[in-house]
Amino acid sequence: MTKTPDSAVRSYIDQHEAEFLEDLSAWLRIPSVSADPGRAGEVRRSAEWLVAKLRETGFPVAEVWESDGLPAVFAEWPSGDASAPTVLVYGHHDVQPAAKEDGWATEPFEPTRIGRQLFARGAADDKGQVFFHTLGVRAHLAATGRTAPAVNLKLLIEGEEESGSPNFGALIRREAARLAADVVIISDTGMWAEDTPTVCTGMRGLADCEIDFYGPANDIHSGSFGGAVPNPADVAASLVAALHDADRRVAIPGFYDGIVELTEQERELFAELPFDEQQWLKVAKSGGTLGEAGYSTLERVWARPTAEVNGIWGGYTGPGQKTIVPAEAHVKLSFRLVAGQEVENVRKLVRDWVATRIPEGIRYDIAFPGATRPCLTPLDHPALQSTVRAMGRAFGQKILFTREGGSGPAADLQDVLGAPVLFLGISVPSDGWHSVNEKVELDLLRKGVETSAYLWGDLAENWQ
Amino acid sequence: MTKTPDSAVRSYIDQHEAEFLEDLSAWLRIPSVSADPGRAGEVRRSAEWLVAKLRETGFPVAEVWESDGLPAVFAEWPSGDASAPTVLVYGHHDVQPAAKEDGWATEPFEPTRIGRQLFARGAADDKGQVFFHTLGVRAHLAATGRTAPAVNLKLLIEGEEESGSPNFGALIRREAARLAADVVIISDTGMWAEDTPTVCTGMRGLADCEIDFYGPANDIHSGSFGGAVPNPADVAASLVAALHDADRRVAIPGFYDGIVELTEQERELFAELPFDEQQWLKVAKSGGTLGEAGYSTLERVWARPTAEVNGIWGGYTGPGQKTIVPAEAHVKLSFRLVAGQEVENVRKLVRDWVATRIPEGIRYDIAFPGATRPCLTPLDHPALQSTVRAMGRAFGQKILFTREGGSGPAADLQDVLGAPVLFLGISVPSDGWHSVNEKVELDLLRKGVETSAYLWGDLAENWQ
């Protein structure tokens, strides 16, 4: 019987909250700014502080992991139950740069509590969200009477996330065996809003593409030749235009083949989110919406693949007129991908499609500089169901779902470990990530602790 | 009876050719480089030299015309016949820069005869071609026994053509009354080839267009917003792509309305030209042809209107990737026009068409910076018929037709004077215009003299 009485969890948290916040504040005082080479020592100190704290928490294994850059932290607490699933929690202990003179109301590395908010660089991104798991697992043990968590619990807390994770891929490949997990939980994200708790279930992938078009050997006179030779800027523009059909669907044959479509349930749950399109357009600084027919704005940015032109250039771009057929033109494209789309297959589809659209007299080069795979955990995945139940108990209300339209290294974990990824975060948009006056809402932080406390038992109980 | 016995013309030319070449050489020695402010005095000396020579030729009126820039020359020789048509011959007395060290085999301003070629800057462009009219009109008089030409003959010889004719429009508007003519003959062009004499019957016009597209207030993240807001680079590209239909016809509604179509006769005559498409592609430095379905390459560049993208730019164009929805994009377009297309109407069609193609959320500005009207003289125009007959007598072979795909101030003369324009030139592509070792073929120069000698009588006789 692993189901925890919620009151026991809450009373344990009540007893330990002050100490928990003191510990978190001590960690927040360490200015672990990974982008500042002068603070590399502070990043290391942060890692060592965390290792010590995790050992104190009870993790039998807690170590600093070296990489070619700044150190990460790894910890492991085996369940002892032979059938227990293994969970890997990901977060990071480095922070964005911050200085009071940037406009902070308080010292960024002197955590300051004002009412039910705690202000400090890293309070939300990401030390606060890593740290709620430490009290969470203790509350889980206290409420269940266990001496080890109901799941095999692993933590991987990176030290270079705010610097673009340059060594993360190599690190997780090197340590794949020790990181092996049945599910990965990313605690480095947020919720829809303070009164709308949500779980993020996936991120879009990304495939970059650059195409260079070459026509005449140099710019030629459009009076002498215009209308009779192909114009590479026209070919580039026509290719960009042809990326979408009249319904704003990507018109590359096969592009949608095999993608994981939104379920009716997901669409209904997305629609329950209190989405204000006018407000969203203000944030987008855009004057209107445009996207794939048949889908809402949220569905378009979260769950539909796209083709976007990020840059285009060719011919004369200076002041005045130059009546030429340009020698060359260039486009930078990127494709956001969703689950079911494989990067290599999308590249092949793009390559084949482009090849059919180049008139005689135009040469071209096509390159695919970078890519990130999409990740998605279906709503009926047991780990997601457990997370939703755990959050529901903590928040006392219905948990909705989001996705992330951007692309990130979460997919690396999914790919290297072969495990589904989900996103458990309690931050809210007002928390000031990468900005001044970063803070964490203490009521939400506590709900994070509670969620963590309920989650491991639920997961173990419902894992098949 | 104004028909000249051809043998009389030829024997007159034989007698005066040496003197004619000495005079031309004297003129070619004056380095009338309009682009070089240090040689403004030489341009004036060239104008004064020409005025004196035209008086000596017999023109009762020959004067230097001042403009806000360098001087032009005007001359007039009334026919005396009340019903005689008035012809205005256009040419220019300024030349391109030249220096021996650019790679000339001879001194560019020391005319050098080698066999039947005369090398000098301006030998073909345009002093030689202006000058053949002086011996031509004398041969016309000698062979017909007239004391004044059979037409009212006017010459306008510009002094700034090689500098872009910055004051030409103002000059001809100011002097429109004295320039009034029934037909304008431009002697500043060439023929298809030495063994293929041709008359050019028109030039395409030009309308420039610039469009600026504005989307989000600044570049925004394509992960967060891509696929749900309009992308101005996509809108720009789609507009460029939509300029043409699948037959490479300009797809702007009404664009072809009222244009003067090629006649079957013109198409047949164009097809008689010894056109080598592979050679033409080498000159175009292009790897293939592409243009309006149903027309040959020559027809496409000479006689069909076009829409060309001269420049396009928007979004990120530097190294690497930037996954954005760009804030803005820009295109520079130009439309080549043919007879029957009015600039203002084309601008209106473009403006209306663009307005229907901008999605909500994109703002745009459209501008039409410059324009030149097209000009065209139909094959059955009596002045053209006369020119063809005169050339036919001089060359002893069939005269074919060309047009010019580019756009130029000839249309200004057409518009200001309300007279048709045709192009009588005896230069050939090897003459080295604007290049080193410019020369004129003396046999062709003589045929120019002969054509001029036959033309005025034929014109007067056949003018209705």
Side-chain angles (χ1 to χ4, degrees):
Chain A
M1 167 62 191
T2 54
K3 185 156 185 180
T4 55
D6 298 5
S7 59
V9 163
R10 287 184 188 128
S11 91
Y12 186 88
I13 296 173
D14 287 342
Q15 286 159 39
H16 294 84
E17 190 175 10
E19 181 195 349
F20 167 77
L21 290 177
E22 263 172 49
D23 285 345
L24 174 58
S25 295
W27 194 20
L28 290 169
R29 278 189 199 98
I30 303 175
S32 49
V33 179
S34 59
D36 181 353
R39 282 174 155 168
E42 301 289 353
V43 178
R44 180 166 300 277
R45 193 155 69 89
S46 161
E48 287 164 355
W49 184 95
L50 181 60
V51 163
K53 181 56 59 184
L54 291 172
R55 286 204 187 122
E56 193 185 313
T57 300
F59 280 84
V61 173
E63 27 189 89
V64 171
W65 271 7
E66 300 298 337
S67 75
D68 284 347
L70 297 165
V73 167
F74 174 74
E76 184 172 6
W77 196 338
S79 159
D81 299 349
S83 64
T86 301
V87 177
L88 175 68
V89 172
Y90 167 88
H92 62 91
H93 68 93
D94 64 321
V95 298
Q96 281 278 310
K100 182 138 197 294
E101 52 270 32
D102 296 341
W104 284 68
T106 61
E107 282 291 344
F109 295 107
E110 185 44 63
T112 306
R113 189 167 155 179
I114 301 174
R116 293 294 292 165
Q117 298 179 320
L118 179 66
F119 288 86
R121 173 56 87 223
D125 178 21
D126 183 39
K127 286 173 175 168
Q129 303 204 82
V130 168
F131 210 58
F132 72 61
H133 287 290
T134 62
L135 184 55
V137 69
R138 300 266 307 199
H140 160 58
L141 299 182
T144 56
R146 297 183 59 101
T147 53
V151 298
N152 299 303
L153 186 59
K154 297 180 179 180
L155 304 186
L156 176 62
I157 312 301
E158 196 193 348
E160 295 186 305
E161 198 275 344
E162 300 294 3
S163 301
S165 302
N167 301 292
F168 187 67
L171 180 70
I172 64 174
R173 280 169 183 78
R174 188 187 80 198
E175 301 289 353
R178 293 188 71 192
L179 292 168
D182 295 303
V183 62
V184 177
I185 293 179
I186 311 278
S187 282
D188 183 28
T189 54
M191 310 193 310
W192 180 266
E194 199 165 344
D195 57 1
T196 311
T198 52
V199 180
C200 174
T201 63
M203 300 182 83
R204 291 196 290 191
L206 181 68
D208 298 317
C209 177
E210 274 194 67
I211 315 176
D212 304 305
F213 303 87
Y214 302 99
N218 47 250
D219 293 350
I220 58 174
H221 192 284
S222 74
S224 305
F225 304 107
V229 294
N231 175 329
D234 180 43
V235 175
S238 297
L239 194 112
V240 168
L243 282 170
H244 294 94
D245 67 15
D247 286 331
R248 298 298 301 175
R249 280 173 67 85
V250 177
I252 298 169
F255 188 74
Y256 294 93
D257 287 358
I259 72 169
V260 177
E261 298 285 350
L262 279 161
T263 63
E264 271 315 301
Q265 186 194 10
E266 275 174 297
R267 303 189 73 173
E268 282 164 19
L269 290 169
F270 282 176
E272 285 187 40
L273 290 165
F275 176 66
D276 178 340
E277 190 154 270
Q278 289 310 310
Q279 188 53 40
W280 183 87
L281 279 172
K282 274 186 199 155
V283 177
K285 300 184 182 180
S286 288
T289 60
L290 185 71
E292 189 183 350
Y295 293 91
S296 71
T297 291
L298 285 182
E299 289 167 349
R300 288 166 176 171
V301 294
W302 285 349
R304 300 302 297 171
T306 68
E308 198 79 53
V309 53
N310 307 123
I312 184 168
W313 69 107
Y316 183 65
T317 61
Q321 312 308 314
K322 211 167 161 187
T323 47
I324 53 168
V325 177
E328 48 190 81
H330 311 268
V331 296
K332 285 179 194 274
L333 307 176
S334 57
F335 298 90
R336 296 279 169 185
L337 309 179
V338 300
Q341 288 182 303
E342 292 302 326
V343 168
E344 276 313 316
N345 187 48
V346 168
R347 287 174 170 173
K348 182 185 182 311
L349 295 174
V350 172
R351 197 187 294 276
D352 290 351
W353 177 76
V354 169
T356 65
R357 303 193 58 86
I358 307 295
E360 198 190 329
I362 300 287
R363 292 176 304 108
Y364 73 103
D365 292 327
I366 186 166
F368 297 95
T372 305
R373 293 190 62 212
C375 58
L376 176 67
T377 301
L379 293 198
D380 58 4
H381 189 282
L384 189 57
Q385 299 267 327
S386 291
T387 305
V388 167
R389 276 192 299 270
M391 276 188 88
R393 283 159 68 183
F395 282 85
Q397 65 186 108
K398 183 172 181 180
I399 306 304
L400 293 173
F401 297 93
T402 65
R403 292 200 203 172
E404 167 58 43
S407 310
D412 256 7
L413 286 166
Q414 167 195 259
D415 291 351
V416 172
L417 306 184
V421 166
L422 56 89
F423 302 80
L424 168 60
I426 50 78
S427 183
V428 285
S430 64
D431 279 352
W433 291 34
H434 298 209
S435 181
V436 296
N437 300 321
E438 180 178 347
K439 52 90 180 164
V440 65
E441 298 285 337
L442 294 182
D443 290 341
L444 294 180
L445 192 59
R446 186 196 159 102
K447 288 186 167 41
V449 174
E450 236 183 293
T451 301
S452 176
Y454 302 138
L455 180 54
W456 313 134
D458 192 297
L459 243 178
E461 192 174 345
N462 294 288
W463 191 259
Q464 284 118 15
Chain B
M1 168 59 192
T2 53
K3 185 156 185 179
T4 55
D6 299 6
S7 61
V9 162
R10 286 182 190 133
S11 91
Y12 185 87
I13 296 173
D14 286 343
Q15 286 160 39
H16 294 85
E17 190 175 11
E19 181 196 347
F20 167 78
L21 291 177
E22 265 172 48
D23 286 346
L24 173 58
S25 295
W27 195 19
L28 290 169
R29 278 188 199 97
I30 304 174
S32 49
V33 179
S34 59
D36 181 353
R39 280 171 158 171
E42 301 291 353
V43 178
R44 180 165 300 279
R45 192 153 73 86
S46 161
E48 286 164 354
W49 183 95
L50 181 59
V51 163
K53 182 55 61 185
L54 291 172
R55 287 205 184 119
E56 194 185 312
T57 300
F59 280 83
V61 173
E63 26 188 89
V64 170
W65 271 6
E66 300 298 337
S67 75
D68 284 346
L70 297 165
V73 167
F74 175 74
E76 184 171 9
W77 196 339
S79 159
D81 300 349
S83 65
T86 300
V87 178
L88 174 68
V89 173
Y90 166 89
H92 62 91
H93 68 92
D94 64 321
V95 298
Q96 280 278 310
K100 183 136 195 297
E101 51 269 32
D102 296 341
W104 284 68
T106 62
E107 283 291 345
F109 295 108
E110 185 45 63
T112 307
R113 190 168 154 179
I114 301 172
R116 294 293 294 163
Q117 298 179 321
L118 180 65
F119 288 86
R121 172 57 86 221
D125 178 22
D126 184 41
K127 286 172 175 169
Q129 303 205 83
V130 168
F131 209 59
F132 72 61
H133 287 288
T134 63
L135 184 55
V137 70
R138 301 266 308 197
H140 161 58
L141 299 182
T144 56
R146 298 183 58 102
T147 55
V151 298
N152 299 304
L153 187 59
K154 297 179 179 180
L155 304 186
L156 176 62
I157 312 301
E158 194 192 350
E160 296 186 306
E161 198 274 344
E162 300 294 5
S163 302
S165 302
N167 300 292
F168 187 66
L171 180 70
I172 64 173
R173 280 169 182 80
R174 186 186 82 199
E175 300 290 352
R178 293 188 71 194
L179 292 169
D182 297 303
V183 61
V184 177
I185 292 179
I186 311 278
S187 282
D188 183 27
T189 53
M191 312 193 309
W192 180 265
E194 200 165 345
D195 56 2
T196 311
T198 52
V199 180
C200 173
T201 64
M203 299 181 83
R204 291 195 289 192
L206 182 67
D208 296 318
C209 177
E210 273 193 66
I211 315 176
D212 304 304
F213 302 86
Y214 302 99
N218 46 249
D219 293 349
I220 58 174
H221 193 283
S222 74
S224 304
F225 305 106
V229 295
N231 175 328
D234 180 42
V235 175
S238 297
L239 194 112
V240 168
L243 282 169
H244 294 94
D245 67 15
D247 286 331
R248 297 299 300 173
R249 281 174 66 86
V250 178
I252 297 170
F255 187 75
Y256 293 92
D257 288 356
I259 73 168
V260 177
E261 298 284 351
L262 280 160
T263 63
E264 272 314 302
Q265 186 194 12
E266 275 174 296
R267 304 188 73 173
E268 283 164 18
L269 290 169
F270 282 176
E272 285 187 40
L273 291 166
F275 176 67
D276 179 340
E277 191 154 270
Q278 287 311 310
Q279 188 53 41
W280 182 88
L281 280 172
K282 273 187 198 155
V283 178
K285 300 184 181 177
S286 288
T289 61
L290 185 71
E292 188 182 350
Y295 293 92
S296 72
T297 291
L298 286 181
E299 290 167 350
R300 287 167 176 172
V301 294
W302 286 348
R304 299 303 297 172
T306 68
E308 199 79 54
V309 53
N310 307 123
I312 185 167
W313 69 106
Y316 183 67
T317 61
Q321 313 307 315
K322 212 169 160 184
T323 46
I324 54 168
V325 177
E328 48 188 84
H330 311 267
V331 296
K332 287 179 193 274
L333 307 176
S334 57
F335 299 91
R336 296 280 168 183
L337 309 179
V338 301
Q341 288 182 302
E342 292 302 327
V343 168
E344 276 313 317
N345 187 47
V346 168
R347 286 174 171 174
K348 182 185 182 310
L349 295 174
V350 173
R351 195 187 295 278
D352 290 351
W353 177 76
V354 170
T356 65
R357 301 192 60 87
I358 308 294
E360 200 190 329
I362 299 288
R363 294 175 304 106
Y364 72 103
D365 293 327
I366 186 167
F368 297 96
T372 306
R373 293 190 60 213
C375 59
L376 178 68
T377 301
L379 294 197
D380 59 4
H381 191 281
L384 189 57
Q385 299 269 327
S386 292
T387 305
V388 167
R389 278 191 298 270
M391 277 189 87
R393 285 158 69 183
F395 282 84
Q397 65 186 108
K398 182 173 182 178
I399 306 303
L400 293 173
F401 298 92
T402 64
R403 292 199 203 172
E404 167 57 43
S407 311
D412 256 7
L413 286 165
Q414 167 195 261
D415 290 350
V416 172
L417 306 182
V421 166
L422 56 89
F423 302 80
L424 168 60
I426 50 79
S427 184
V428 285
S430 63
D431 279 353
W433 291 35
H434 297 209
S435 181
V436 296
N437 300 321
E438 181 177 347
K439 52 90 179 165
V440 65
E441 298 285 336
L442 294 182
D443 291 340
L444 294 179
L445 191 60
R446 186 194 159 101
K447 288 186 169 40
V449 175
E450 236 184 291
T451 302
S452 176
Y454 303 138
L455 179 54
W456 313 134
D458 191 298
L459 242 179
E461 192 174 343
N462 293 288
W463 190 260
Q464 285 118 15

